[in-house]
Amino acid sequence: MHRRRVYSLCLRMTSNTAEAEDLTQEAFLQLFRKIATFRGESAFSTWLHRLSVNVVLMHLRRKGLPVTSLEEASEPDEEEGPKKDFGGPDNLLAGSVDRVNLERAIERLPRGYRMVFILHDVEGYEHNEIAEMLDCSIGNSKSQLHKARLKMRDLLHESRGGGTARY
Amino acid sequence: MDCWNLRRELGAYLEGEASPELVAHLEHCRYCQSIVEDLRSIERAAPEIAETFEPRPALWKRVENAAYAEGLVRERPFSGWLHDLAREWLPLPAPALAAAYLVVLLIAGVIIGFRTGAPPLPPQRASIPQSGTQVDIAAQLTNAEQTMLAEMEKSNPEASQVYRDNLATVNYYIDLCQRTLDQDPGNPDVRNSLEQAYTGKSDLLNAMLDPDEMGSR
């Protein structure tokens, strides 16, 4: 469970199997190095996963890759305006989302959106925790998550051959 | 209030912080209702993929060696809860990806032979395919997969869906490894990951060929 969870997190955040392996190794080495500091205030899995997130974020920052983006925090689709008629239902996903299409869509998200989406929707962190991890405001975390989900919906619709689902 | 201007507020609605105007709008706008449903579908599906990918077993050995070299652990195997953690890392088969460790192109050869009457591919062909042969075999393999899934769908739709989902996951991982390898062709770890992914695929194909045998492993 832990191994898959940590490796999946690293792979999803980097989209690179070699980097994911290196980061998984680093996460578990950090675990061994820091185990003495584990106070049992949270579940062990919570502690390990948080440590893994920090390893990945530190790696991305060291590479000079922003984990949040001010540009992405703006309204990327705003100037494009509504793209379709309103009024009728447009339930694109029919209540179910195929996991492979979900993975592909996550991979195609802009990095800033991807980080927040993975941390909140996949890993289950709260906005205040994400704001602390990414060094951004809670509002920014919420805003990016919402835009990430809208973008995901768009990408999932594309994967079903339906073109763009943007408003 | 129109749908376009409401787009920013739908996020707040999902967080339980919607304005009365938005709530009123959603009561009669089927279009915005469907958007909310889609966003909820994504939100529901996302946690289910948290543990999708299986690291190759060699990675744990690497971690173990590095921890040992650094003096972080004194002996192998690890003791206490570290031992449990280590044991958990070992390549225990996931239920739907039970280990069969046959090489994928050998299995592909069996399937192709099974479908076409041609003899199975010889074992020496059982490696990561290269050049134009790869395209032919990959196409035949995809065709064989789809045919087998379609046949299984008739007799056992539930199992068919499990295999379909797992094959899709393995194929996605193969694709991801292949793209990583394209960026870094000389990286032996990525090549090993790709081989591992093909091995995982062979497990599934083998299980589809002989589900009773796989169930007894």
Side-chain angles (χ1 to χ4, degrees), chain A residues 25 29 32, chain B residues 61-76 78:
Chain A
Q25 174 172 331
L29 289 179
F32 298 141
Chain B
K61 192 72 185 165
R62 238 175 75 183
V63 174
E64 189 183 59
N65 288 339
Y68 189 66
E70 204 178 311
L72 297 170
V73 291
R74 291 195 181 123
E75 59 184 34
R76 288 177 281 189
F78 304 138

Side-chain angles (χ1 to χ4, degrees), chain A residues 12-77:
Chain A
R12 210 166 272 129
M13 288 178 95
T14 60
S15 299
N16 182 298
T17 55
E19 275 185 89
E21 288 204 352
D22 289 346
L23 292 171
T24 301
Q25 174 172 331
E26 182 55 28
F28 276 89
L29 289 179
Q30 292 259 15
L31 163 75
F32 298 141
R33 290 181 196 124
K34 295 185 174 178
I35 188 63
T37 66
F38 177 58
R39 305 284 179 212
E41 290 157 352
S42 60
F44 173 73
S45 57
T46 307
W47 184 73
L48 172 61
H49 299 154
R50 179 62 184 263
L51 183 150
S52 306
V53 169
N54 288 342
V55 166
V56 177
L57 292 176
M58 196 179 297
H59 167 77
L60 294 175
R61 287 185 174 117
R62 205 177 291 135
K63 282 180 72 178
L65 297 171
V67 292
T68 57
S69 164
L70 288 175
E71 192 178 331
E72 288 162 13
S74 68
E75 297 285 339
D77 299 331

Side-chain angles (χ1 to χ4, degrees), chain A:
Chain A
M1 181 178 73
H2 294 310
R3 60 199 161 118
R4 284 203 300 272
R5 183 77 180 263
V6 171
Y7 178 68
S8 297
L9 170 78
C10 295
L11 184 58
R12 210 166 272 129
M13 288 178 95
T14 60
S15 299
N16 182 298
T17 55
E19 275 185 89
E21 288 204 352
D22 289 346
L23 292 171
T24 301
Q25 174 172 331
E26 182 55 28
F28 276 89
L29 289 179
Q30 292 259 15
L31 163 75
F32 298 141
R33 290 181 196 124
K34 295 185 174 178
I35 188 63
T37 66
F38 177 58
R39 305 284 179 212
E41 290 157 352
S42 60
F44 173 73
S45 57
T46 307
W47 184 73
L48 172 61
H49 299 154
R50 179 62 184 263
L51 183 150
S52 306
V53 169
N54 288 342
V55 166
V56 177
L57 292 176
M58 196 179 297
H59 167 77
L60 294 175
R61 287 185 174 117
R62 205 177 291 135
K63 282 180 72 178
L65 297 171
V67 292
T68 57
S69 164
L70 288 175
E71 192 178 331
E72 288 162 13
S74 68
E75 297 285 339
D77 299 331
E78 191 108 293
E79 69 280 3
E80 297 175 38
K83 285 287 172 72
K84 58 178 293 160
D85 295 333
F86 297 105
D90 191 19
N91 195 207
L92 301 168
L93 307 177
S96 68
V97 179
D98 172 73
R99 69 188 189 194
V100 171
N101 285 331
L102 194 65
E103 292 285 2
R104 289 190 191 282
I106 290 172
E107 201 185 332
R108 291 175 63 194
L109 281 177
R111 185 178 302 278
Y113 290 178
R114 189 160 82 224
M115 293 299 130
V116 175
F117 183 81
I118 291 170
L119 292 173
H120 190 280
D121 279 6
V122 180
E123 298 295 325
Y125 288 105
E126 300 293 337
H127 285 295
N128 60 323
E129 296 174 294
I130 294 169
E132 189 186 324
M133 289 174 196
L134 301 183
D135 195 23
C136 67
S137 68
I138 291 174
N140 194 5
S141 174
K142 287 182 179 179
S143 164
Q144 293 217 26
L145 175 66
H146 179 50
K147 287 168 193 160
R149 286 177 180 161
L150 287 173
K151 183 74 179 170
M152 286 287 292
R153 178 178 177 270
D154 206 9
L155 292 167
L156 288 165
H157 182 58
E158 278 180 36
S159 72
R160 292 188 173 199
T164 302
R166 187 180 294 128
Y167 279 84

Side-chain angles (χ1 to χ4, degrees), chain B residues 57-135:
Chain B
L59 178 58
W60 178 242
K61 192 72 185 165
R62 238 175 75 183
V63 174
E64 189 183 59
N65 288 339
Y68 189 66
E70 204 178 311
L72 297 170
V73 291
R74 291 195 181 123
E75 59 184 34
R76 288 177 281 189
F78 304 138
S79 59
W81 69 265
L82 282 176
H83 174 67
D84 294 338
L85 189 66
R87 198 172 51 187
E88 192 176 290
W89 183 278
L90 290 172
L92 299 173
L97 272 173
Y101 301 112
L102 300 176
V103 183
V104 70
L105 286 185
L106 186 59
I107 297 296
V110 172
I111 295 167
I112 293 163
F114 173 68
R115 291 291 156 211
T116 64
L121 293 174
Q124 61 266 30
R125 294 281 297 280
S127 61
I128 293 178
Q130 302 289 337
S131 72
T133 311
Q134 180 176 0
V135 178

Side-chain angles (χ1 to χ4, degrees), chain B residues 2-216:
Chain B
D2 63 50
C3 301
W4 172 246
N5 287 324
L6 278 176
R7 61 195 285 278
R8 287 192 208 92
E9 284 200 44
L10 288 178
Y13 178 78
L14 292 169
E15 299 268 339
E17 301 167 359
S19 66
E21 290 87 352
L22 176 58
V23 174
H25 176 85
L26 279 171
E27 276 177 16
H28 71 264
C29 179
R30 291 173 63 201
Y31 181 78
C32 285
Q33 286 169 13
S34 69
I35 304 290
V36 168
E37 266 314 299
D38 280 350
L39 297 180
R40 283 191 169 136
S41 297
I42 293 168
E43 188 181 5
R44 276 194 303 270
E48 293 171 13
I49 61 168
E51 297 171 13
T52 299
F53 299 112
E54 184 84 25
R56 62 196 178 93
L59 178 58
W60 178 242
K61 192 72 185 165
R62 238 175 75 183
V63 174
E64 189 183 59
N65 288 339
Y68 189 66
E70 204 178 311
L72 297 170
V73 291
R74 291 195 181 123
E75 59 184 34
R76 288 177 281 189
F78 304 138
S79 59
W81 69 265
L82 282 176
H83 174 67
D84 294 338
L85 189 66
R87 198 172 51 187
E88 192 176 290
W89 183 278
L90 290 172
L92 299 173
L97 272 173
Y101 301 112
L102 300 176
V103 183
V104 70
L105 286 185
L106 186 59
I107 297 296
V110 172
I111 295 167
I112 293 163
F114 173 68
R115 291 291 156 211
T116 64
L121 293 174
Q124 61 266 30
R125 294 281 297 280
S127 61
I128 293 178
Q130 302 289 337
S131 72
T133 311
Q134 180 176 0
V135 178
D136 296 339
I137 294 179
Q140 290 183 66
L141 188 54
T142 303
N143 188 37
E145 278 172 42
Q146 294 309 315
T147 307
M148 291 175 75
L149 284 168
E151 286 183 6
M152 189 181 272
E153 173 79 33
K154 292 175 199 162
S155 59
N156 191 342
E158 200 174 317
S160 164
Q161 190 56 46
V162 171
Y163 283 118
R164 191 181 294 280
D165 287 349
N166 283 305
L167 273 170
T169 301
V170 171
N171 285 336
Y172 172 73
Y173 188 64
I174 286 173
D175 180 48
L176 195 58
C177 289
Q178 189 62 63
R179 278 184 283 140
T180 307
L181 197 61
D182 289 344
Q183 292 167 14
D184 187 7
N187 190 323
D189 289 342
V190 181
R191 179 163 286 272
N192 285 339
S193 292
L194 185 58
E195 286 173 353
Q196 188 73 30
Y198 273 112
T199 305
K201 184 166 175 169
S202 81
D203 297 347
L204 282 170
L205 296 175
N206 200 37
M208 289 171 75
L209 281 173
D210 194 355
D212 294 337
E213 187 186 336
M214 290 300 293
S216 66

